[in-house]
Amino acid sequence: MDPVSLPITTARLTLRLYTDSDLADFAAMYARPDVVRYLYEEPFTAEEALAALQRKAGRTAITADGGALTLVVVRTEDGAYLGDVSLWVTDGPNRGAEVGFVLHPDHHGHGYGREATRALLDLAFGPVGLHRVVGQCDARNAASAKLMTSLGMRREAEFVRNEYVKGEWTDGLVFALLEDEWPQR
């Protein structure tokens, strides 16, 4: 695996590591019920946001042994905080990982989530050298399923009532993509 050069820039976005200066934007986004609706967490308190930001800020590298990378997504033209994307190794010997993304609802519908996740997949199948990347979402989260499909990820599974989350049984969808299926590699 090659070292990752950060930040990553796309046509409209900059993806970089989290810093302490991101706390206010991070806390405001993750305090929203509509942001965490399909996540395991409840809306964050100020203390929970600080702890979560510190965890995400510690995800700085993908290595041959594993690791995780979480990057802040900001709009390059004005520095607006849009959310974050993550990549973490789930199966080192088989070069497998999972991708995740959370985008602030005020910025939905502009293609930012797709652009940021595409950049992360370019990294995964390029310098990081992964073989397979999966993405999972709550089956009710049509926007996440649509994003993964738009990136060429194939829907591989639907798990019916497989997790008890926030007081209810939820269905889960699993999407996947192989390195030789990624057109940008």
Side-chain angles (χ1 to χ4, degrees), residues 95-152:
R95 299 179 10 243
E98 186 168 342
V99 65
F101 43 85
V102 180
L103 190 69
H104 194 292
D106 290 352
H107 302 291
H108 287 183
H110 301 286
Y112 297 133
R114 185 174 191 268
E115 188 173 330
T117 306
R118 175 182 295 281
L120 204 58
L121 290 171
D122 283 342
L123 180 74
F125 293 123
V128 175
L130 295 174
H131 168 68
R132 176 181 167 83
V133 175
V134 300
Q136 300 185 56
C137 67
D138 185 303
R140 299 169 296 178
N141 191 343
S144 288
K146 181 179 177 182
L147 187 151
M148 289 185 274
T149 300
S150 77
L151 290 166

Side-chain angles (χ1 to χ4, degrees), residues 15 31 146 153 178:
L15 284 66
K146 181 179 177 182
M153 297 181 84
L178 299 173

